[in-house]
Amino acid sequence: MTAPTLRFEISEYRARLEATRKAMQRDGVDLLIVTDPANMAWITGYDGWSFYVHQCVLVRQDEDPIWFGREMDANGARRTVYMDESRIKSYGDHYVQSSQYHPMTALGSLIADLGWSKGVIGIEKDNYYFTHAAFEALSTVLPNALFKDTTRLVKWQRIVKSPREIEYMRAAGKIATAMHQRVAEVLRPGVKQSDVVAEIYHTAIHGVDGIWGDYPAAVPMIGAGIDASAPHLTWSDRELRSGESIFFELAGVHKRYHCPLSRTFYLGRPDQKFIDAETAVLEGMAAGLEKAVPGNACEDVAQAYYGVIESYGLKKPSRTGYSIGLAYPPDWGEHSASFRTGDRTELRPGMTFHFMSGLWFGDWGIEITESILITDSQPECLANSPRQLIVID
Amino acid sequence: MTAPTLRFEISEYRARLEATRKAMQRDGVDLLIVTDPANMAWITGYDGWSFYVHQCVLVRQDEDPIWFGREMDANGARRTVYMDESRIKSYGDHYVQSSQYHPMTALGSLIADLGWSKGVIGIEKDNYYFTHAAFEALSTVLPNALFKDTTRLVKWQRIVKSPREIEYMRAAGKIATAMHQRVAEVLRPGVKQSDVVAEIYHTAIHGVDGIWGDYPAAVPMIGAGIDASAPHLTWSDRELRSGESIFFELAGVHKRYHCPLSRTFYLGRPDQKFIDAETAVLEGMAAGLEKAVPGNACEDVAQAYYGVIESYGLKKPSRTGYSIGLAYPPDWGEHSASFRTGDRTELRPGMTFHFMSGLWFGDWGIEITESILITDSQPECLANSPRQLIVID
């Protein structure tokens, strides 16, 4: 079998492993069971749409990580991870989506066979792919283990991006820019939402400037007319109407690295409430971006934004950003730092966030956002799209 | 606020609720907590990309279901569910992806306030969106509840499709057919994988014959050359080469209903092992389809297929199909019946399956599949694509 195509130097995977091991030592974790697909990819390179069945990476201090998954996916591991054949373990297909057998029983047996069944085992308790049934099956086979929550252990190691990761995110930013340009080209009254999204996807995957597009961890989310009151609806074939707004929350993606970006379009002449909201959002974003510098905390960005929009009589009862980077469905957020009151995470160069400044009200909404890189001075916007309400008249 | 656009008659939602309630009575469940997004949609109509935060539907015998989710998603519920405003409950944004607060604590409090904290509570223990942390938070607030696993309770109610559901799946079949036609049009040596996938997505969402396309629960999976040894890899910008095969596992989707379909293409003149495998797969599928009739069991289809391919010296160590229909990421399978040895589920008209006859070996693979509807006699193929190895010379 030919060697897998790795997206990073082996030395970068090794450095990630060492950072993870240090965090394990700090937290007293002997064996780490990594079930988050982005964490699995970050540590080993593994990349495949197989997270719909149970799988994981095992990390110890003294030997290379082990990839564990469904038998038919072991070949996908062979094609994508940096470890050698001896570090790929799999379970039989009868464990898959069965009411009789659970893959975590097979994992528990493997752990016991390796002599790792005692001591502290870290589990990602709040990861989508570590269900309560997974815990029940695993803990039944490993009665002598002490389980500890490590939901965010690897996630926090990922928060400062490497130069190569930043390169991929800037590439994703170019794709996100092109996607919104394409929207502006095709958005007209009478056009179906689904036809706009078809164009968005074409641009997203074809890419731009020779940069190919990967699939996003969440599909395009749109809000037209009254549906703009809700941030997470998707499309239908409803035709766009003159005199209504529509927002698009999209991500450009390159090699699994994301750059989310939202813009709001108005078909026709926007009414005053949109113009006023645009003013508030843009001024709030400028205030937030000014605070997005090393040494400040995440909450400083949020409070700067909240302060401005509240001075305009608007309110945002939700966080106003979150860490981004490598991601798999269903979320492109990293589930570590957030721009919100109480989050004292110190901003450092190399961190990347989606400044999610969207506002949603009873029957309308507006989304104008940026994905940013924290630098030594002012933040860098990863995409390059006019930061305004885009009027299509 | 204007009324939501429902995809089924209220009477159909009511019938689904009654079927679910009967199953709850049979299993002694007083309160059902539905966290599977497809189950939530099937019962209430809810449709939004919000499953990346904790949410659920509560079902009781004596009153309408309750939608429970993040505050910003409550408007999405108002736009999509059939229940009235009083049945929409939400939690504040500080619960979202926090290491201090968990949304299931808020759910537990709601359940206690409603007086439902005793008795048997059904939870979908092995659903992606019911993590072990979700259980810990919920059970801490509800110490007097008896929790019972209902991972498959609603899934089994969904297995026989209604006439409207079948209409949507036939529409999805038309889209799947068009997607593979588009692949055949653009697949040539030197073309980038990502550019083929861009065309696939455009067709998938634009749709065909006035039928719009929804997003699939899994992205296009492809295997070119040696990567065809692995079923769940995705694309890059690698150029297609003459003298290699490539398979595409794609789903057409309409209003969240899926029709998966795989075809394998060969660029150039296929070598004998592909031609032999094609013969085995097609004969095996014919044998399996003949068994896919009412009164037979799921395992009869699998065994007919296994029998034929083994007579050709090939082996498939995995299941050969699964129930399909309404789905959300990360899986378009319904996690109920499978075509595999030991699955004695009786086939009934209105059931729908992906007959997943793909074979993967050490350094190659072949996928030619069908999505089928069980009828009174022979099964109906939902898509209409030439069932063969497609040679592009």
Side-chain angles (χ1 to χ4, degrees):
Chain A
M1 178 159 294
T2 56
T5 314
L6 297 174
R7 289 175 176 170
F8 295 89
E9 301 291 329
I10 297 273
S11 57
E12 184 157 349
Y13 290 112
R14 292 275 172 208
R16 295 169 177 185
L17 184 60
E18 284 318 306
T20 302
R21 283 173 171 161
K22 269 195 191 159
M24 287 169 64
Q25 280 182 319
R26 179 198 65 202
D27 294 352
V29 174
D30 300 306
L31 167 65
L32 185 65
I33 302 180
V34 178
T35 42
D36 181 292
N39 290 345
M40 290 175 66
W42 188 77
I43 291 177
T44 69
Y46 182 66
D47 184 37
W49 190 288
S50 58
F51 39 84
Y52 72 93
V53 295
H54 292 282
Q55 57 180 20
C56 66
V57 164
L58 301 179
V59 180
R60 296 267 299 181
Q61 292 295 334
D62 48 355
E63 42 184 287
D64 269 356
I66 291 175
W67 180 93
F68 175 80
R70 185 182 186 183
E71 191 176 46
M72 68 163 65
D73 293 317
N75 280 343
R78 291 181 183 105
R79 301 294 305 138
T80 56
V81 308
Y82 76 85
M83 301 89 71
D84 70 33
E85 177 65 29
S86 71
R87 313 309 290 173
I88 296 172
K89 306 287 182 190
S90 65
Y91 59 84
D93 214 68
H94 61 287
Y95 286 101
V96 173
Q97 298 170 359
S98 158
S99 49
Q100 285 181 275
Y101 306 102
H102 199 286
M104 286 289 140
T105 306
L107 176 66
S109 299
L110 173 67
I111 289 170
D113 289 349
L114 291 165
W116 300 342
S117 60
K118 288 173 190 169
V120 177
I121 299 183
I123 49 174
E124 296 172 330
K125 285 188 178 180
D126 209 18
N127 182 260
Y128 308 110
Y129 303 106
F130 192 76
T131 63
H132 180 52
F135 177 76
E136 282 194 337
L138 187 66
S139 58
T140 301
V141 184
L142 301 173
N144 299 315
L146 190 69
F147 292 98
K148 182 164 184 170
D149 187 14
T150 49
T151 297
R152 292 179 173 79
L153 187 147
V154 179
K155 290 174 185 294
W156 279 111
Q157 309 313 311
R158 290 165 42 201
I159 195 160
V160 173
K161 273 64 187 175
S162 73
R164 178 65 60 89
E165 287 180 302
I166 292 168
E167 178 193 324
Y168 291 168
M169 293 183 75
R170 287 183 178 134
K174 286 187 182 174
I175 296 175
T177 304
M179 290 162 75
H180 280 283
Q181 277 171 348
R182 188 70 188 135
V183 172
E185 285 166 11
V186 299
L187 208 65
R188 295 289 177 275
V191 172
K192 290 177 179 175
Q193 293 178 355
S194 44
D195 285 342
V196 178
V197 175
E199 296 300 322
I200 288 170
Y201 262 116
H202 193 276
T203 302
I205 309 301
H206 173 73
V208 64
D209 296 347
I211 301 160
W212 64 279
D214 208 340
Y215 61 88
V219 297
M221 288 175 281
I222 74 173
I226 188 176
D227 286 335
S229 62
H232 298 126
L233 298 181
T234 53
W235 62 91
S236 72
D237 63 350
R238 187 162 86 68
E239 291 180 7
L240 299 167
R241 292 173 198 149
S242 193
E244 74 179 10
S245 74
I246 179 165
F247 65 69
F248 293 84
E249 183 175 4
L250 313 173
V253 190
H254 183 60
K255 298 185 181 178
R256 311 274 0 102
Y257 282 81
H258 288 63
C259 173
L261 192 73
S262 301
R263 287 291 180 270
T264 303
F265 299 79
Y266 203 99
L267 295 172
R269 198 192 148 98
D271 49 33
Q272 197 59 40
K273 89 180 162 191
F274 274 95
I275 293 168
D276 292 346
E278 179 197 20
T279 304
V281 167
L282 297 187
E283 191 180 320
M285 290 182 77
L289 289 170
E290 203 165 301
K291 295 286 185 187
V293 293
N296 277 348
C298 281
E299 71 171 357
D300 296 331
V301 180
Q303 282 164 355
Y305 185 71
Y306 295 145
V308 170
I309 62 161
E310 282 166 20
S311 77
Y312 281 90
L314 297 172
K315 208 168 153 44
K316 179 170 170 68
S318 52
R319 63 177 178 176
T320 189
Y322 45 80
S323 185
I324 52 168
L326 177 65
Y328 285 84
D331 193 7
W332 56 53
E334 288 195 313
H335 300 204
S336 49
S338 292
F339 291 162
R340 65 175 152 200
T341 304
D343 193 323
R344 295 290 312 152
T345 306
E346 188 186 324
L347 296 174
R348 282 180 285 157
M351 289 182 173
T352 46
F353 295 91
H354 184 203
F355 187 172
M356 212 312 152
S357 37
L359 303 175
W360 306 278
F361 304 105
D363 59 358
W364 68 290
I366 183 167
E367 289 190 5
I368 303 173
T369 76
E370 294 285 2
S371 280
I372 60 170
L373 167 68
I374 306 300
T375 72
D376 291 327
S377 55
Q378 287 299 300
E380 173 186 326
C381 290
L382 293 167
N384 180 20
S385 195
R387 195 187 308 155
Q388 61 182 75
L389 176 69
I390 299 161
V391 176
I392 294 180
D393 214 349
Chain B
M1 178 159 296
T2 56
T5 314
L6 298 174
R7 289 174 175 170
F8 296 89
E9 301 290 330
I10 297 273
S11 58
E12 184 157 349
Y13 289 111
R14 293 274 172 210
R16 294 169 178 186
L17 184 61
E18 284 317 306
T20 302
R21 284 174 170 160
K22 269 194 191 159
M24 288 169 64
Q25 280 182 318
R26 179 199 65 202
D27 294 350
V29 173
D30 300 306
L31 167 65
L32 185 65
I33 301 180
V34 178
T35 42
D36 180 293
N39 289 346
M40 289 174 66
W42 188 77
I43 290 177
T44 69
Y46 182 65
D47 183 37
W49 189 289
S50 57
F51 37 86
Y52 73 92
V53 294
H54 293 281
Q55 56 179 21
C56 66
V57 164
L58 302 178
V59 180
R60 295 268 298 182
Q61 292 295 332
D62 48 354
E63 41 186 285
D64 269 356
I66 290 175
W67 180 95
F68 175 80
R70 185 182 186 182
E71 192 176 47
M72 69 164 65
D73 293 317
N75 280 343
R78 291 180 183 106
R79 301 294 306 138
T80 56
V81 308
Y82 75 85
M83 301 89 71
D84 69 34
E85 177 64 30
S86 71
R87 314 307 291 172
I88 296 171
K89 306 287 183 190
S90 64
Y91 60 84
D93 215 66
H94 61 287
Y95 287 101
V96 172
Q97 298 171 0
S98 159
S99 50
Q100 286 181 275
Y101 307 102
H102 200 287
M104 285 291 140
T105 306
L107 176 66
S109 300
L110 172 68
I111 289 171
D113 289 348
L114 291 165
W116 300 342
S117 59
K118 289 174 190 167
V120 178
I121 299 182
I123 50 175
E124 295 172 332
K125 285 188 180 181
D126 210 18
N127 183 260
Y128 309 108
Y129 304 105
F130 192 75
T131 62
H132 179 52
F135 178 76
E136 282 194 339
L138 187 67
S139 59
T140 300
V141 185
L142 301 173
N144 298 315
L146 191 70
F147 292 97
K148 183 165 185 169
D149 187 16
T150 49
T151 298
R152 293 179 171 78
L153 187 147
V154 178
K155 290 175 184 295
W156 280 111
Q157 309 315 311
R158 290 164 43 199
I159 196 162
V160 173
K161 273 63 187 175
S162 72
R164 176 65 60 89
E165 287 179 302
I166 292 168
E167 177 193 324
Y168 291 168
M169 293 183 75
R170 287 182 176 135
K174 286 187 182 175
I175 296 174
T177 303
M179 290 161 75
H180 280 283
Q181 277 171 348
R182 187 72 187 133
V183 172
E185 284 166 11
V186 299
L187 208 66
R188 294 290 177 273
V191 172
K192 291 178 179 174
Q193 293 179 355
S194 44
D195 285 342
V196 178
V197 176
E199 296 299 321
I200 288 170
Y201 261 116
H202 192 276
T203 303
I205 309 301
H206 172 73
V208 64
D209 296 348
I211 300 161
W212 65 279
D214 209 340
Y215 62 88
V219 297
M221 287 174 283
I222 74 173
I226 189 176
D227 287 335
S229 62
H232 299 126
L233 298 181
T234 53
W235 61 92
S236 72
D237 62 351
R238 185 162 88 68
E239 290 180 5
L240 299 167
R241 292 174 198 148
S242 193
E244 74 178 12
S245 74
I246 180 166
F247 66 68
F248 293 84
E249 183 175 3
L250 313 173
V253 190
H254 183 60
K255 299 184 180 178
R256 309 274 1 104
Y257 282 80
H258 288 62
C259 173
L261 192 73
S262 302
R263 286 293 179 269
T264 302
F265 299 80
Y266 203 97
L267 295 172
R269 198 190 149 100
D271 49 33
Q272 197 59 41
K273 89 180 162 191
F274 274 94
I275 293 168
D276 292 347
E278 179 197 19
T279 304
V281 168
L282 296 187
E283 192 180 317
M285 289 183 77
L289 289 171
E290 202 165 300
K291 295 287 184 186
V293 293
N296 278 348
C298 280
E299 71 170 357
D300 296 331
V301 179
Q303 282 164 356
Y305 184 71
Y306 294 144
V308 170
I309 62 160
E310 282 165 21
S311 77
Y312 280 90
L314 298 171
K315 205 164 154 51
K316 180 172 169 66
S318 51
R319 64 179 179 174
T320 190
Y322 44 80
S323 184
I324 52 168
L326 176 65
Y328 284 85
D331 193 7
W332 55 53
E334 288 195 315
H335 301 203
S336 49
S338 291
F339 290 162
R340 66 176 151 200
T341 305
D343 192 323
R344 297 289 312 152
T345 306
E346 187 185 325
L347 297 173
R348 282 179 285 158
M351 288 182 175
T352 47
F353 295 91
H354 184 204
F355 187 172
M356 211 314 151
S357 38
L359 302 175
W360 306 279
F361 305 105
D363 59 358
W364 67 291
I366 184 168
E367 290 190 4
I368 304 173
T369 75
E370 294 285 1
S371 280
I372 61 171
L373 167 68
I374 306 299
T375 71
D376 290 327
S377 55
Q378 286 299 298
E380 173 186 326
C381 289
L382 293 167
N384 179 20
S385 195
R387 195 187 307 155
Q388 60 182 75
L389 176 68
I390 298 160
V391 176
I392 294 180
D393 214 350

